[in-house]
Amino acid sequence: MKFFIDTANLSQIKEAEALGILDGVTTNPSLMAKEGITGEKNIKNHYKEICKIVTGHVSAEVIATDYEGMIREGKELAALDPLIVVKVPMTKEGIKAIKYFTKQGIKTNCTLVFSVGQALLAAKAGATYVSPFLGRLDDVATDGLNLIAEIRLVYDNYNYQTQILAASIRHTMHIVDCAKIGADVITAPLSAMEGLFNHPLTDLGLKKFLEDYNKLNS
Ligand code: E4P
């Protein structure tokens, strides 16, 4: 399973990259705004900076909601760096744009997916990634992990090559559960990934090993 970090924060991307377990980055307009990155030129430069840090795919989202606008923006984003994946919202115009990008050999990430039907459309349009938002479903008392499992089933039924990118991950257990289900990718905040390191028995065990070593070697 690939690990993407869900942020536009350069320090956190560098920190995750340094761990040696990072496969890519996802961003969205809210995450860019959180970092105070505004204006088309600054946003594009920021994507270029992110691409210098990592070696995997970097999702960059279009702002336009009409077909022509998405195509224009998507082409510009894709031209920034070979690592860029054009993130397109799950709408009729978005699916048409994904189909266009697929034909042009431009990689896409279909975002804001909340149902199996939407994921089916993304696969049929040839999206590279589909992003079901599991945390936002959990937030409205709907089982987000179940959506990931259902999309896995449907994609396997037809051998769709679109990769399931489990998004809107809220905590470490979501990552583990996505791995059990067979998501191709998770995108998560650094804190959720770091939670995977932790176990009290590891800490206790290491403490004891060092104590025993020091008894005879000090
Ligand atoms: C996915 O690509 C989105 O950027 C992200 O995972 C949304 O997460 P949120 O629901 O925590 O905002």
Side-chain angles (χ1 to χ4, degrees), residues 6 26-28 31 87 111 131 133 136 167-170 187:
D6 197 27
T26 53
T27 63
N28 63 38
L31 292 171
K87 205 170 179 189
T111 190
S131 287
F133 279 32
R136 292 193 193 185
S168 185
I169 297 243
R170 294 277 190 264
T187 189

Side-chain angles (χ1 to χ4, degrees), residues 87-153:
K87 205 170 179 189
V88 179
M90 172 63 231
T91 59
K92 276 187 187 169
E93 301 290 286
I95 287 297
K96 279 157 62 182
I98 287 170
K99 184 69 187 183
Y100 172 87
F101 290 132
T102 303
K103 282 188 187 156
Q104 298 293 312
I106 293 173
K107 293 190 167 45
T108 53
N109 175 355
C110 184
T111 190
L112 289 167
V113 165
F114 293 93
S115 76
V116 180
Q118 291 178 329
L120 191 53
L121 293 169
K124 286 189 68 64
T128 315
Y129 299 101
V130 65
S131 287
F133 279 32
L134 73 97
R136 292 193 193 185
L137 281 171
D138 286 358
D139 289 346
V140 293
T142 302
D143 188 350
L145 285 167
N146 187 50
L147 174 62
I148 309 290
E150 288 187 338
I151 297 172
R152 179 76 283 155
L153 174 72

